[in-house]
Amino acid sequence: MDFIQTVVLALVQGFSEFLPISSSAHLILVPKITHWQDQGLGFDVVVHMGTLSAIVFYYRTIIKTLIYDFFYSVVKVQTIGQSKMAWGVLLGTIPVGLAGLLFKDFIEVNLRSVEIIAYSTLIFGLLLGLSSWMNAKNAAPREQLTWIDVGFIGLMQALALIPGTSRSGVTITAGLLVGLSIKKSTQFAFLLSIPVITLSALLMLLDLYQQPQTADWPMLILGFIVAGVSAYLTVVFFIKLLDTIGLMPFVVYRIILGVLLLTL
C-alpha cells in the first residue's frame, strides 16, 4: 500500500465505522472505483484498533464508571449507578459474539458480494428511516434501558454481521424502535461497539497469526493514527449534530449508495 491508499482507506474506515452508513460497503466501493488491490488483513486490524481507541477515548469517563459500578454490583449483588448499563453492554454483545463464531466462515464465503451489500444497505437504510420517523412521532421517548430493550438491540446487532447492514445503524434503529430517545439509542449503540470491535480485532489477529504477512510498519502506523483521529472527530460531530439534522440525511445517503453499488 502506498501513502494515498493508506490515508484514503483509513479515512473511510474512521468516518464510516460509527456513522449509520456501513463501513463494509464503503471499503468495498472505494477499491472498486480506484482499482486498488486488497489492503490486506494487517491493515484491517490496525484501522479497527484505531477506531476502537477513538471510541474508548471519547467515552473514557463513562467507561470508568461502568467498570466500577459493574464490579460493585457483582460484589454487593445489587444494581448501583450505571451497573445496569454495564450489564446491558455485556449481555447485548452475546448474540453477535455467538453469531460471529457460528457463521463467520459462511458470511465470508457467501455474503460479501456487492449485490448483497447493496441490498442490505438499502433495506436497513429504509428501516433506519422508519425508526427515525416513528421516534419523531413519539412525544416522550425513554432515557432508561430495560432488559427487553437490551435483548432486542443485542439480537438486532447480530444482523450487522451481514455486510452493508451497518452495526451502528442497526443498533440505533433497534433503540429507536423500542422507544428510546435518539441520544440514548446512539450512546448505547456506541458503547456496544467497544466489545464488538475488540472481538472483531482479536479474531482478525488470530487469522493474521495463522496467515503471517509482511508488515509495512510505517503505513500501518499511519493507518492507525488516521483511522483513530477521523473516527474520534466523526463521533464528536455526529453526536453534536443529531439534534439539528437527525438521521434522515444518512437514510437518503444509504439509498443513493445502495443504488450505486447495484450499478457496479
Side-chain angles (χ1 to χ4, degrees):
M1 295 179 64
D2 60 22
F3 178 85
I4 298 297
Q5 183 180 1
T6 299
V7 171
V8 170
L9 291 181
L11 285 173
V12 168
Q13 174 67 23
F15 287 140
S16 61
E17 177 67 38
F18 298 111
L19 294 180
I21 57 175
S22 175
S23 59
S24 59
H26 289 77
L27 288 173
I28 286 178
L29 179 62
V30 172
K32 286 278 186 181
I33 294 173
T34 57
H35 303 291
W36 284 335
Q37 292 184 343
D38 184 83
Q39 61 269 22
L41 189 57
F43 183 80
D44 288 344
V45 172
V46 298
V47 293
H48 274 77
M49 295 302 294
T51 55
L52 174 63
S53 64
I55 199 68
V56 169
F57 182 74
Y58 182 83
Y59 281 118
R60 60 193 182 280
T61 302
I62 294 177
I63 290 171
K64 289 178 183 178
T65 302
L66 291 176
I67 293 173
Y68 176 83
D69 290 350
F70 172 80
F71 284 108
Y72 190 88
S73 72
V74 172
V75 173
K76 296 295 184 179
V77 196
Q78 66 183 50
T79 301
I80 180 173
Q82 294 292 321
S83 63
K84 188 172 185 178
M85 174 70 82
W87 279 102
V89 171
L90 178 63
L91 297 176
T93 303
I94 293 175
V96 71
L98 292 176
L101 290 174
L102 291 173
F103 301 111
K104 177 177 179 290
D105 292 337
F106 175 83
I107 292 169
E108 289 290 332
V109 174
N110 298 285
L111 299 183
R112 294 192 63 82
S113 69
V114 173
E115 186 178 13
I116 291 291
I117 292 173
Y119 281 118
S120 60
T121 298
L122 286 168
I123 291 169
F124 288 100
L126 291 172
L127 187 59
L128 176 65
L130 174 63
S131 67
S132 180
W133 176 80
M134 291 174 60
N135 181 263
K137 296 290 185 181
N138 187 353
R142 291 184 290 109
E143 297 293 336
Q144 297 298 321
L145 281 167
T146 68
W147 295 120
I148 293 177
D149 297 338
V150 170
F152 179 70
I153 296 171
L155 289 172
M156 287 287 284
Q157 182 177 225
L159 295 175
L161 292 171
I162 303 171
T165 300
S166 171
R167 194 212 57 78
S168 63
V170 76
T171 47
I172 291 173
T173 295
L176 296 177
L177 288 175
V178 297
L180 294 174
S181 70
I182 188 170
K183 284 198 171 182
K184 193 65 177 182
S185 299
T186 301
Q187 182 193 56
F188 188 57
F190 284 177
L191 289 172
L192 272 176
S193 73
I194 294 172
V196 171
I197 297 175
T198 302
L199 290 172
S200 175
L202 289 174
L203 286 174
M204 286 190 289
L205 279 172
L206 179 60
D207 289 341
L208 188 63
Y209 175 77
Q210 295 172 344
Q211 302 172 7
Q213 302 176 14
T214 302
D216 185 353
W217 287 110
M219 291 299 102
L220 291 180
I221 293 171
L222 176 64
F224 175 87
I225 295 172
V226 172
V229 172
S230 58
Y232 179 80
L233 293 175
T234 299
V235 171
V236 170
F237 285 104
F238 176 65
I239 291 176
K240 286 184 177 180
L241 290 173
L242 271 177
D243 287 335
T244 305
I245 66 173
L247 294 168
M248 294 310 293
F250 301 102
V251 175
V252 173
Y253 178 80
R254 285 185 66 127
I255 293 172
I256 295 172
L257 178 62
V259 172
L260 179 60
L261 287 169
L262 285 174
T263 64
L264 291 177

